[in-house]
Amino acid sequence: MMTFATYNLKGGVGKTAAAVNLSYLASLGGHKTLLWDLDPQGAASFYFRIEPTATKNSATLLERKRGLGPAVRGTNYPALEIIPADLGYRDMDLALGELRKPNERLGKLLAPLAADYDLAFIDCAPHLSLTSENVFDLAHWLLVPVIPTPLAVRAYTQLREFCERGKLAHKKLLPFFSMVDRRRQLHCKVVTQFAQEHPEVLHSFVPYTSQVEKMGEQRAPVQTFAPSSPGARAFVALWAAICARVGLPNGP
Amino acid sequence: MPQLVDALCAQSGVLSEGWNTERRWYLETFDGRLAAAKQVLSVVKRPRLGTEIQLRTLAGETTEQLTSELAMPQFASQFRPGRMQLRLAQITLGRALLPRAVGQLKVLRCQCQDATGKLLAGLQLEVGRGRQPRVVLRVCPARGFERATQRVLRPFLALGLVVPLKADAAAPLLQHAGLARCAYTCKPLIRLRPQLAAAPAVAQVLSAYTHSLRANEGGIVADLDGEFLHDYRVVLRCLRAWLGDLKPCMAQPPLRALRAGLTTLNRLTGKLRDLDVLTRQLDAYLAQGDGMTPTIPLRERLATCRAQAHTELAAHLKSPVYRSFQRQWTGFLAALTAGKHPGRGSHLPIRDLVRRAIGKRRARVLAFDPALAQTNPSALHELRKNCKRLRYLLEGFALLFARGPLRLAVEELKNLQRTLGETWDLHVHLGLLTRLCAEVPGGAPLVVVLGARLCSLEAQQVVLVVAAIGHFRSPQAQRPYADLLARAA
Ligand SMILES: Nc1ncnc2c1ncn2[C@@H]1O[C@H](COP(=O)(O)OP(=O)(O)O)[C@@H](O)[C@H]1O
Ligand SMILES: [Mg+2]
């Protein structure tokens, strides 16, 4: 099972939008896919019309004897299943801190499901915390949406340095531009410059479009209700770029 | 039925996608491996949407589903790499998937949703053809929504409109699918009373094995995959071996013609099998070569020879000679069962007869002089044949003996057989390649390269053989044999 996580220190940059749309496209491409909504806000679960569960606290979640299996829910799409958000994820960091090898816990929790899926996506909350370090450890690839502004670029550079310093494989980082507005000079400038400094950037980006925003109203991946919109096409292209980069077959 | 459809569509949250007629192919290996693994593989061709392939358990639960451009897959290896492909490869073990049944179904697909539009379950009403068609409502709850689905279905159950299939839904579903459970194993296990007279007991085992022989003929002729020939040869060798080893329970004169028939089959199948194995191995051998000499003519020549060998074998299997052989064989088995043509040991209890035979074969294996291994390939070949015959006796009559020692005895033997088999393959391949190279223009340099390579491999392999023989003779390896044979006293 190949695992992707959408991660960024900042909130509201399109992590959830990417996790939802890419996992949906992956499942369309014939990969049996699991999406793990690790953000207690449960936006990804919401997009798939699934209520977050409410385990009392994280300690119980982490000790689950039967693993994550019972938490899995089917979505409206055949090859896509989801582990919905849980309110208990709020104090996950505290609970993790009390365990031995706190950096490997989530990986252990997910491992038993590896035989059931080809791909997993993890939608993370915007923090730098024990939880995210767990995710850095277990994910094969970190998809990092970057809004093309100097501050966001700086946040990415910080993340990269953090990974390098902590000997976390920075080779896992797959940044891509999100919410790009091509009418804005600044965006264009930042995109070009970033690509020169960070050759790892994916050569496909997600524009700022109202169709992606509408996902909240439609509660579905953009591809399902506006398949020919620029937003939907952008995610298709982005997924193709990711597949090419990581060596996955794309499409049946 | 109309009542059910009305009730379904009236249910709030059930959205119908309308009726469709589907042609559905059910694929199965020749020997029913999918059914044995309790799986049903079906292929539906949908206009525009491509081919939908579904692998599900007999209990009706969908394990895998994929849409593909593939018209009609024949081998697990043709599926897109992924979990379904892996699963199929594990089940089919290289066997071809054949369309075993085609069904025309009228299908009504529905989605069952909750108030927010969350899918709770996919519903599929399938109506077969015929005057009293079987109607199946297939319910596939989304994972984690099983209880919610049950709530929706409760009124239907209460009205008696649907009846749940019992937990083991295998039989009705297979019937619905037009498939029967099929129990093929290459080497069937036959339960025999140890005290049963040898002649009818041997007849039982021979008949069961004859079944396996028949089961593979079609696949060999159609040249679907190499496994048919492999199994056919295993059975063939068992039969030949037993006609010799269990000789005391059969009168000899009627056997002479049958033996000749079996020998012909062994020769024809052996030729094809050797070429098959060489074809598989050739890349590995050539990879060791100088990389300069053109190998295409050799490959082409090999393919031609293989095709010829296949044609020859297929022609024989379809010939009146083979049919008459089959008649004679069946007649012989019937006579053996009925106690006609008894041999002098016909009335011995079967277990005693088999024990004696095992004892003799084992003695021959142990009598091999390891010094010959280095110098005398044909002596090694004899050893290999003795090992095989010993193995067939152990496996064919396994249920006559205690499980533990028997399993250990077979394990020890397998180890020796593996090294012997590989050595013999190299020897045969060297001979074949020398001949084939001589037949292609410019083949001479290849003979030199391949010859050197194979000879050195063979020399390495012989060292392993000697070690394996040494191990097989050790008291530890012989203990299970002592156990098996001692109880005879
Ligand atoms: N490409 C886009 N174009 C327009 N709006 C977007 C786009 N991507 C995300 N949004 C909107 O921005 C908000 C935050 O996006 P989200 O994916 O939830 O970010 P994150 O998960 O990083 O917090 C949401 O309201 C979403 O609808
Ligand atoms: Mg989010």
Side-chain angles (χ1 to χ4, degrees):
Chain A
M1 180 172 75
M2 189 184 274
T3 310
F4 295 91
T6 49
Y7 179 78
N8 195 317
L9 277 165
K10 289 165 68 78
V13 296
K15 293 186 293 296
T16 304
V20 165
N21 288 303
L22 294 177
S23 60
Y24 171 72
L25 289 172
S27 76
L28 270 195
H31 303 283
K32 181 96 192 256
T33 306
L34 178 70
L35 171 60
W36 189 2
D37 188 356
L38 207 48
D39 184 344
Q41 289 184 36
S45 312
F46 175 83
Y47 285 134
F48 286 114
R49 306 176 191 220
I50 294 174
E51 294 306 312
T53 46
T55 312
K56 286 216 186 62
N57 57 49
S58 286
T60 334
L61 278 173
L62 291 168
E63 276 161 19
R64 276 209 171 132
K65 290 242 162 47
R66 288 189 296 155
L68 289 167
V72 177
R73 297 283 177 271
T75 65
N76 283 18
Y77 315 102
L80 180 58
E81 292 180 346
I82 176 170
I83 302 176
D86 194 296
L87 291 172
Y89 292 158
R90 273 169 311 156
D91 48 9
M92 175 89 87
D93 276 305
L94 285 177
L96 280 169
E98 292 180 358
L99 299 168
R100 272 184 297 135
K101 299 206 180 168
N103 280 351
E104 295 167 18
R105 284 290 155 167
L106 295 188
K108 288 229 170 80
L109 215 51
L110 192 60
L113 290 178
D116 294 343
Y117 300 90
D118 300 316
L119 297 181
F121 284 80
I122 303 178
D123 188 28
C124 298
H127 302 294
L128 196 50
S129 60
L130 260 179
T131 310
S132 38
E133 282 183 45
N134 265 271
V135 172
F136 293 172
D137 186 69
L138 88 98
H140 299 104
W141 301 100
L142 289 176
L143 295 165
V144 188
V146 179
I147 301 182
T149 64
L151 261 182
V153 168
R154 185 161 160 268
Y156 175 74
T157 317
Q158 280 171 337
L159 172 66
R160 206 190 140 91
E161 278 165 6
F162 173 81
C163 288
E164 279 166 9
R165 227 178 312 124
K167 302 213 171 47
L168 294 161
H170 59 273
K171 288 188 191 131
K172 289 180 178 179
L173 293 176
L174 291 179
F176 64 92
F177 285 108
S178 167
M179 302 178 153
V180 178
D181 187 348
R182 280 213 257 189
R183 287 164 307 180
R184 291 171 62 177
Q185 287 262 311
L186 178 67
H187 276 199
C188 298
K189 210 173 102 194
V190 172
V191 166
T192 346
Q193 200 178 345
F194 188 91
Q196 283 163 2
E197 286 164 18
H198 298 280
E200 71 270 26
V201 70
L202 288 163
H203 295 281
S204 200
F205 65 87
V206 184
Y208 189 95
T209 76
S210 58
Q211 296 298 343
V212 178
E213 267 182 316
K214 281 219 182 92
M215 282 171 58
E217 202 177 287
Q218 298 279 343
R219 298 185 76 175
V222 60
Q223 178 86 14
T224 60
F225 60 87
S228 52
S229 68
R233 287 205 214 136
F235 279 113
V236 170
L238 181 62
W239 178 237
I242 294 170
C243 287
R245 180 72 67 84
V246 307
L248 270 178
N250 180 19
Chain B
M1 222 267 295
Q3 214 184 342
L4 175 59
V5 176
D6 290 346
L8 258 180
C9 296
Q11 189 83 10
S12 77
V14 175
L15 306 178
S16 158
E17 294 172 11
W19 285 96
N20 262 317
T21 305
E22 285 184 4
R23 255 168 105 68
R24 191 177 295 180
W25 282 262
Y26 291 89
L27 303 190
E28 177 56 295
T29 63
F30 188 68
D31 49 0
R33 283 175 194 219
L34 283 165
K38 305 211 167 162
Q39 302 277 332
V40 177
L41 180 66
S42 59
V43 175
V44 179
K45 287 193 185 158
R46 295 242 167 74
R48 292 187 313 279
L49 294 172
T51 311
E52 187 182 285
I53 302 171
Q54 199 179 76
L55 181 67
R56 60 167 197 267
T57 65
L58 288 179
E61 165 194 339
T62 305
T63 24
E64 296 296 337
Q65 190 161 5
L66 68 89
T67 312
S68 139
E69 329 259 79
L70 225 59
M72 187 68 75
Q74 252 215 325
F75 292 99
S77 58
Q78 293 169 339
F79 285 74
R80 227 174 60 109
R83 287 161 4 92
M84 179 160 163
Q85 193 244 355
L86 253 163
R87 174 121 191 77
L88 277 175
Q90 281 165 357
I91 296 174
T92 59
L93 295 172
R95 298 231 135 166
L97 291 162
L98 315 170
R100 281 285 299 269
V102 193
Q104 185 117 326
L105 295 172
K106 277 183 68 184
V107 180
L108 177 70
R109 271 169 221 277
C110 304
Q111 289 206 347
C112 175
Q113 301 183 339
D114 72 4
T116 69
K118 171 72 190 73
L119 179 84
L120 301 179
L123 306 178
Q124 200 168 314
L125 191 68
E126 303 177 354
V127 187
R129 296 225 297 188
R131 212 172 290 148
Q132 281 196 320
R134 203 187 161 88
V135 182
V136 174
L137 178 67
R138 200 184 293 289
V139 181
C140 303
R143 191 162 167 182
F145 293 89
E146 291 82 3
R147 266 205 252 147
T149 305
Q150 251 171 25
R151 272 200 295 279
V152 178
L153 284 182
R154 209 168 288 148
F156 297 96
L157 288 163
L159 284 171
L161 285 173
V162 285
V163 189
L165 288 173
K166 292 278 151 29
D168 181 24
L173 272 169
L174 276 181
Q175 214 182 357
H176 181 59
L179 296 175
R181 276 210 221 205
C182 170
Y184 165 91
T185 55
C186 168
K187 300 182 195 168
L189 278 176
I190 312 298
R191 192 165 290 287
L192 298 167
R193 274 182 298 112
Q195 300 309 323
L196 186 65
V202 171
Q204 266 187 54
V205 176
L206 291 180
S207 314
Y209 272 63
T210 307
H211 243 84
S212 304
L213 206 62
R214 294 275 153 80
N216 286 293
E217 283 163 8
I220 297 177
V221 172
D223 206 7
L224 289 168
D225 68 54
E227 294 300 310
F228 293 102
L229 182 63
H230 172 265
D231 280 12
Y232 188 90
R233 273 182 61 74
V234 169
V235 176
L236 187 64
R237 282 193 308 250
C238 287
L239 297 178
R240 264 161 61 90
W242 292 332
L243 288 191
D245 285 345
L246 306 173
K247 189 155 66 175
C249 73
M250 308 167 224
Q252 291 308 299
L255 276 181
R256 233 157 266 148
L258 289 174
R259 281 222 177 85
L262 290 175
T263 307
T264 310
L265 283 171
N266 190 46
R267 179 172 53 77
L268 291 173
T269 55
K271 196 158 139 192
L272 180 57
R273 177 75 189 160
D274 284 345
L275 291 166
D276 272 349
V277 179
L278 178 60
T279 309
R280 255 201 338 240
Q281 284 291 95
L282 190 63
D283 277 329
Y285 294 155
L286 288 174
Q288 319 285 348
D290 59 359
M292 308 284 288
T293 328
T295 58
I296 291 168
L298 175 63
R299 289 177 199 277
E300 281 172 354
R301 182 75 202 130
L302 177 57
T304 317
C305 287
R306 196 223 160 254
Q308 277 168 0
H310 177 259
T311 312
E312 195 183 354
L313 175 59
H316 180 72
L317 292 180
K318 288 188 283 192
S319 71
V321 180
Y322 186 61
R323 274 202 297 280
S324 113
F325 164 78
Q326 283 179 326
R327 272 196 304 277
Q328 280 177 27
W329 180 256
T330 320
F332 158 72
L333 289 182
L336 194 62
T337 314
K340 289 181 209 159
H341 314 307
R344 54 195 159 70
S346 291
H347 299 294
L348 276 176
I350 178 67
R351 184 157 66 186
D352 293 352
L353 182 69
V354 174
R355 261 193 186 128
R356 261 192 232 174
I358 290 178
K360 277 192 200 161
R361 277 294 155 201
R362 167 181 171 244
R364 287 207 201 172
V365 172
L366 291 177
F368 178 78
D369 175 4
L372 288 179
Q374 307 285 1
T375 53
N376 194 338
S378 63
L380 265 191
H381 185 42
E382 272 311 305
L383 173 63
R384 180 166 166 263
K385 285 206 273 193
N386 281 321
C387 287
K388 281 201 161 161
R389 293 182 145 209
L390 180 54
R391 169 101 172 262
Y392 299 150
L393 284 168
L394 292 171
E395 287 184 339
F397 297 87
L399 295 185
L400 289 173
F401 300 98
R403 272 250 295 277
L406 187 102
R407 198 175 49 82
L408 290 175
V410 171
E411 267 323 298
E412 294 296 348
L413 192 57
K414 260 191 196 166
N415 178 34
L416 176 55
Q417 279 187 298
R418 194 168 39 243
T419 53
L420 280 169
E422 281 163 20
T423 317
W424 182 246
D425 278 351
L426 285 169
H427 184 75
V428 170
H429 291 169
L430 184 53
L432 277 173
L433 283 172
T434 312
R435 204 195 78 209
L436 290 170
C437 285
E439 290 167 5
V440 299
L446 261 182
V447 181
V448 181
V449 178
L450 285 170
R453 181 71 207 154
L454 266 66
C455 282
S456 84
L457 281 176
E458 200 181 336
Q460 287 168 21
Q461 191 63 36
V462 168
V463 178
L464 297 181
V465 169
V466 175
I469 296 173
H471 176 79
F472 186 71
R473 293 175 158 203
S474 68
Q476 180 209 343
Q478 284 303 307
R479 195 168 310 129
Y481 286 93
D483 280 350
L484 288 181
L485 298 171
R487 285 165 211 217

